[in-house]
Amino acid sequence: MENVQNIILCGVGGQGTILASKVLSAALVAGGYDVKMSEIHGMSQRGGSVTTQVRFGKKVYSPIIGKGSADILVSFEIMEAARYLDDLKENGHVVVNNFKIDTATTASGKDVYPDDIIGKLSKVATTYVVDAGKIAGDLGNKKAMNIVLLGALVKLMQLQQLDWDAALKKCVKPKFIDLNLKAFQAGLDSVG
Amino acid sequence: MKELMSGNEAIARGIWEAGVQFASGYPGTPSTEILENVSGKYPEVTSEWAPNEKTAVEAAIGASVGGARSIATMKHVGVNVAADPIFTVAYTGVTGGLAIVSADDPSCHSSQNEQDNRYYATAANLAMLEPSNSQEAKDFVRQAMEISETYNVPVMIRMTTRVCHSKSLVETDERKEVPYVPYVKQRRYNPVPAVSYGLHADVMERFKKLEELSNDCPLNTVEWNTGDVGIVTSGVSYQYAKEVFGDAASYLKIGLTNPLPMAKIKDFSSKVKTLYVIEELEPYMENQMKAAGLSCIGKEKVPRLYELNPDILRSALLGVEPKPISHEDFGTVERPPVLCAGCPHRGIYVEMLKLKNIVFSSDIGCYALGRAKDFAFCMGSGFSAAHGMAKMFKKSGSDKRVVGIMGDSTFFHSGMTSMLECVYNNSNVLLVVMDNRITAMTGHQENPGTGYNIMGEEAPLTDIAKVAEALGVKHIKTINPLHLGDCRKALQWGLGFDEPALIITKYPCALKKFSEIDKQEFGSSVKKNYVDTETCIGCRTCVRTGCPALVYDKATKKVSIDLSQCTGCDICMQVCPTHAIRKVEG
């Protein structure tokens, strides 16, 4: 099963992780890969932590992986990167959105939102920090940060050759296509 | 070209391709998207949200007896609600093919238990199919219809969260129209004792034929690789087993899991040195295999609790442990789901939490995320459990009072009879129906109170207050839960009676797009709230309402409101002691 790649996308309900996973999966399917995608939602839609897994390769059996198996972890929120870090392989990579969303308990001052997560991540895994909120905001809509992060992921996995324009057009509402095409390109440019 | 589909999308496609005419269900994660896809994509199939799972199955039975292929969809706990007709239709048999989808939830991702509904199939003598991916989910619907009609048996299609909600590639086909069977009155559909007595014997006869089918069925297949390790498996566990063992084991993959193909299993086991049974949750196949005298390794190694995954199997059967990167010192805090910004339930909860000496008997729905909740069991228990407790508090001389809580969809599902229980047996419960004008928890399905059906067509609107009145509730008050003063007064009013009283809190879900009916009743202008930082004293009274749009800044000791989330519900404004929260101008 060495050829199967495992990607975890995580974030907070409402951030668009599922849409990003759909675009990713659509492009991979069109590119001829066997693809499985698994999502957990339900109660987690209500501002909770959400995660999706995308697996692709020549032949994929399980729709999910367990701890310590992901090649790459893309987190749409800083603290969520830490929460799902144990899904990552020892030599796996992290893409983290430099974007913080308080929890119910940190917003009320009961808990403290942890400090320096990005610093700690960088010590244990190769970490790429993307200012997706700012990049998308500069393009006119902060909500497009999910596609910025998708662009960063595509660059790191060297999947640029797939037909991303078609995948975006298939999954995104017509009036947001231009914005998302720009967000995707900005994401590609955001990592070295 | 192949299409990426979730298991639920694939079941919907399968319903269409198999010529099914009637599909009914009650929304429940992880099953909800099946009917949503049928109603949205396949108009040839008559699809309906039923008030509950029992009525869904009964309607599907009626459609089958009437000669059409039919199906009912629900989550695992829904099968408990529908169990009564299911056990009897297993006796009477079917006319048009009849299938019942049970979407089980190992690991309780969004459920109150992780029951393994495969035992329903054996208990009720249903045939059962377990798809392991989306392609099978689609194909098995047609298989289910053919088995149902050939063997005169209702078929359970048992899914799990991971099959329902994971996407994999599906090759689609065209719809095959199946002619209706003309209705003929038949004695078997009248299961009075004299008839049932004979039908039970028929069920046993049928079971023998199904066993023959199971042993000789392309859904139960052997993949032969090696005689060292043999694996008997079903459902998504097959995918996990293949992931871990690949070609280093042989597989008996069972798609028709009731009755089990025991002759085939025995033959398979005789050819392998080590026999594993890999299945999620209960030792359903393992126990039957051991009872048949086979020696196999199952639950002594493979966990009986929770969802499996490849790493769990690798660790359990091969001793290979994953090496996760530790995040213990990151200081991560929990991110529990919360009531949304602007949730209309928040208002009544703010006032409920001020009450003293009250026990809150809650129910299954969004409102279960609120803090006014001492317990909840199942759909509809909010009122009946409150009733029993209230009666015993009174009998034992306790001065505690009980408030029963449920939502509008739950009320229609099984709350009406629970309300009747309170009235008929008279307890001093205060009943609260939190009517947010939609089935919100599962993603906004219409229900009998919304004025629309699953197709978005206008439907008769059932008035909760009138139902309650007809059930015999004498004291009924309907309030807007965003007005805290009204909530406070209503609660005091309701607790003043020594018999059942009802408060209906009526305001649309904060995430709901207002329907025409909503606009007429509630208007649609929104002016958001903001915090005047000069006046804010940082007391955090507003934050304690639990609204996620409010953030307290420890450095400045002030609260701010995220305008992208704020719906202008004004609850924070009403609790602020210094009037620092105002309406945004314009």
Side-chain angles (χ1 to χ4, degrees):
Chain A
M1 303 306 127
E2 286 306 311
N3 66 331
V4 174
Q5 296 284 307
N6 303 321
I7 303 166
I8 305 240
L9 297 99
C10 62
V12 177
Q15 278 198 293
T17 51
I18 290 176
L19 178 64
S21 311
K22 278 184 183 163
V23 177
L24 173 62
S25 303
L28 289 165
V29 170
Y33 291 102
D34 189 17
V35 179
K36 285 194 175 169
M37 168 187 160
S38 188
E39 58 189 67
I40 282 297
H41 58 82
M43 295 188 63
S44 44
Q45 280 181 327
R46 311 295 175 220
S49 173
V50 291
T51 174
T52 63
Q53 300 189 356
V54 177
R55 311 192 67 217
F56 69 98
K58 195 159 171 259
K59 174 73 190 166
V60 180
Y61 289 106
S62 168
I64 48 165
I65 55 168
K67 308 261 175 238
S69 308
D71 296 281
I72 192 158
L73 166 71
V74 185
S75 184
F76 289 41
E77 199 275 344
I78 296 170
M79 185 166 58
E80 296 312 305
R83 192 184 314 284
Y84 292 99
L85 185 62
D86 59 1
D87 286 341
L88 198 64
K89 275 182 184 165
E90 271 179 311
N91 53 355
H93 293 185
V94 179
V95 178
V96 57
N97 186 9
N98 195 6
F99 192 81
K100 176 183 146 186
I101 300 175
D102 276 289
T103 72
T105 53
T106 61
S108 66
K110 199 173 124 195
D111 280 328
V112 177
Y113 191 99
D115 278 339
D116 193 32
I117 288 182
I118 289 174
K120 287 179 182 168
L121 282 171
S122 308
K123 284 186 195 140
V124 293
T126 310
T127 302
Y128 300 88
V129 183
V130 180
D131 273 318
K134 184 177 181 310
I135 293 169
D138 290 348
L139 292 171
N141 192 337
K142 219 156 76 172
K143 284 196 164 174
M145 69 170 98
N146 60 343
I147 303 301
V148 174
L149 291 162
L150 176 67
L153 169 70
V154 167
K155 180 72 172 288
L156 290 173
M157 298 205 76
Q158 300 189 340
L159 291 169
Q160 295 99 310
Q161 76 282 5
L162 298 177
D163 192 347
W164 295 99
D165 284 12
L168 280 162
K169 281 171 187 160
K170 191 178 171 191
C171 302
V172 174
K173 282 186 188 155
K175 68 172 176 175
F176 295 118
I177 284 173
D178 282 347
L179 169 72
N180 281 295
L181 289 171
K182 283 183 200 154
F184 184 77
Q185 186 59 48
L188 286 177
D189 299 340
S190 70
V191 285
Chain B
M1 199 185 88
K2 288 189 174 183
E3 212 179 312
L4 202 58
M5 283 188 185
S6 72
N8 283 347
E9 289 170 317
I11 286 273
R13 177 78 192 186
I15 287 172
W16 181 76
E17 288 183 8
V20 172
Q21 294 292 356
F22 183 81
S24 184
Y26 182 79
T29 311
S31 72
T32 312
E33 300 84 0
I34 300 174
L35 267 195
E36 287 185 331
N37 277 284
V38 174
S39 62
K41 293 179 185 164
Y42 309 112
E44 294 85 351
V45 185
T46 298
S47 53
E48 299 178 351
W49 286 129
N52 67 29
E53 296 85 355
K54 179 174 182 284
T55 51
V57 168
E58 288 160 346
I61 290 172
S64 161
V65 176
R69 288 190 165 183
S70 60
I71 198 162
T73 70
M74 61 207 67
K75 69 182 292 176
H76 60 345
V77 288
V79 178
N80 302 330
V81 178
D84 196 356
I86 288 174
F87 274 67
T88 300
V89 76
Y91 271 39
T92 65
V94 306
T95 302
L98 174 66
I100 294 141
V101 177
S102 169
D104 294 8
D105 190 16
S107 282
C108 308
H109 292 289
S110 47
S111 305
Q112 62 268 43
N113 69 41
E114 56 173 356
Q115 73 190 39
D116 188 333
N117 276 6
R118 294 180 298 173
Y119 288 119
Y120 266 112
T122 49
N125 290 301
L126 307 173
M128 175 166 60
L129 304 182
E130 287 187 71
S132 76
N133 62 16
S134 299
Q135 180 73 51
E136 290 181 356
K138 190 206 71 146
D139 294 342
F140 281 17
V141 178
R142 178 173 294 163
Q143 298 283 353
M145 290 297 148
E146 285 168 7
I147 291 170
S148 177
E149 288 167 358
T150 309
Y151 294 86
N152 192 26
V153 61
V155 180
M156 173 179 278
I157 301 176
R158 191 255 190 173
M159 310 267 281
T160 56
T161 300
R162 205 51 73 173
V163 180
C164 293
H165 281 173
S166 69
K167 296 196 177 206
S168 55
L169 290 166
V170 176
E171 190 85 63
T172 56
D173 203 348
E174 289 308 306
R175 176 168 166 95
K176 290 213 173 79
E177 290 294 345
V178 179
Y180 292 95
V181 182
Y183 174 71
V184 180
K185 186 172 173 176
Q186 292 179 71
R187 187 173 148 82
R188 64 186 169 110
Y189 288 125
N190 180 20
V192 292
V195 175
S196 302
Y197 187 83
L199 287 176
H200 197 178
D202 295 348
V203 168
M204 294 300 106
E205 277 302 306
R206 176 183 81 198
F207 199 76
K208 280 185 203 154
K209 289 182 190 154
L210 281 168
E211 274 181 340
E212 285 168 26
L213 168 72
S214 191
N215 281 312
D216 186 30
C217 171
L219 301 180
N220 299 334
T221 49
V222 173
E223 288 173 45
W224 190 258
N225 294 309
T226 158
D228 287 341
V229 179
I231 296 172
V232 175
T233 183
S234 72
V236 76
S237 303
Y238 164 76
Q239 307 290 355
Y240 303 150
K242 283 286 282 189
E243 182 82 31
V244 171
F245 289 90
D247 294 341
S250 294
Y251 302 86
L252 173 50
K253 175 181 180 298
I254 307 185
L256 171 58
T257 49
N258 194 53
L260 283 178
M262 200 52 78
K264 200 173 222 170
I265 294 174
K266 281 182 180 166
D267 179 59
F268 180 74
S269 82
S270 72
K271 292 175 183 161
V272 297
K273 284 187 201 143
T274 307
L275 183 66
Y276 291 125
V277 190
I278 300 181
E279 57 189 327
E280 248 171 9
L281 297 181
E282 296 297 305
Y284 167 83
M285 298 193 291
E286 179 185 342
N287 284 352
Q288 292 185 60
M289 286 162 63
K290 284 184 172 161
L294 293 174
S295 166
C296 54
I297 299 164
K299 290 300 166 189
E300 61 264 52
K301 289 206 167 171
V302 180
R304 191 168 174 171
L305 295 175
Y306 314 133
E307 191 173 39
L308 297 179
N309 66 40
D311 291 357
I312 292 171
L313 286 186
R314 227 174 256 125
S315 156
L317 299 177
L318 301 177
V320 179
E321 298 294 335
K323 291 179 192 163
I325 301 169
S326 168
H327 55 62
E328 272 173 24
D329 62 341
F330 278 71
T332 314
V333 298
E334 289 294 306
R335 191 185 293 279
V338 289
L339 293 174
C340 304
C343 174
H345 301 329
R346 185 169 285 110
I348 187 86
Y349 275 155
V350 165
E351 293 304 323
M352 278 180 174
L353 287 166
K354 292 182 190 165
L355 299 172
K356 299 276 184 279
N357 222 15
I358 300 283
V359 179
F360 296 101
S361 168
S362 192
D363 213 297
I364 312 295
C366 295
Y367 46 89
L369 299 173
R371 283 188 297 137
K373 178 187 181 187
D374 289 284
F375 54 83
F377 297 96
C378 62
M379 297 280 289
S381 72
F383 288 175
S384 14
H387 164 77
M389 180 176 261
K391 269 212 138 168
M392 288 309 104
F393 280 164
K394 200 167 181 184
K395 188 177 180 186
S396 63
S398 166
D399 61 350
K400 281 189 193 301
R401 293 291 299 273
V402 190
V403 174
I405 297 167
M406 68 174 61
D408 47 331
S409 190
T410 312
F411 177 73
F412 297 118
H413 177 281
S414 47
M416 294 187 291
T417 44
S418 299
M419 181 179 275
L420 193 56
E421 161 81 346
C422 303
V423 173
Y424 179 57
N425 290 311
N426 192 38
S427 56
N428 62 358
V429 287
L430 173 55
L431 306 173
V432 181
V433 175
M434 296 190 171
D435 178 10
N436 61 4
R437 313 302 301 138
I438 202 79
T439 311
M441 186 57 139
T442 43
H444 289 185
Q445 291 75 33
E446 304 293 347
N447 69 48
T450 65
Y452 301 91
N453 66 19
I454 194 172
M455 304 301 293
E457 301 155 348
E458 284 193 31
L461 192 155
T462 305
D463 185 317
I464 295 170
K466 283 185 184 164
V467 172
E469 196 184 341
L471 291 172
V473 181
K474 286 186 261 175
H475 317 286
I476 301 169
K477 206 181 257 300
T478 301
I479 57 167
N480 179 337
L482 301 182
H483 300 156
L484 298 187
D486 292 352
C487 293
R488 196 155 49 238
K489 280 186 227 153
L491 289 166
Q492 290 308 331
W493 164 86
L495 289 166
F497 297 103
D498 196 32
E499 56 186 356
L502 169 66
I503 299 169
I504 300 167
T505 66
K506 193 174 181 188
Y507 197 82
C509 169
L511 302 181
K512 188 187 177 194
K513 189 175 176 219
F514 278 28
S515 67
E516 284 309 312
I517 298 171
D518 294 332
K519 283 181 199 158
Q520 282 165 26
E521 187 166 353
F522 304 100
S524 54
S525 72
V526 173
K527 272 190 182 177
K528 300 190 175 205
N529 302 100
Y530 75 100
V531 181
D532 176 60
T533 42
E534 295 295 308
T535 329
C536 175
I537 55 168
C539 67
R540 291 185 274 172
T541 306
C542 58
V543 174
R544 280 193 286 273
T545 65
C547 178
L550 300 167
V551 178
Y552 174 73
D553 185 332
K554 268 201 167 157
T556 62
K557 296 199 166 128
K558 305 281 180 191
V559 171
S560 63
I561 295 177
D562 174 4
L563 287 183
S564 69
Q565 291 194 65
C566 178
T567 67
C569 76
D570 295 349
I571 286 171
C572 55
M573 189 169 93
Q574 294 171 71
V575 300
C576 177
T578 60
H579 306 288
I581 300 177
R582 321 238 167 102
K583 292 303 267 186
V584 171
E585 295 304 316

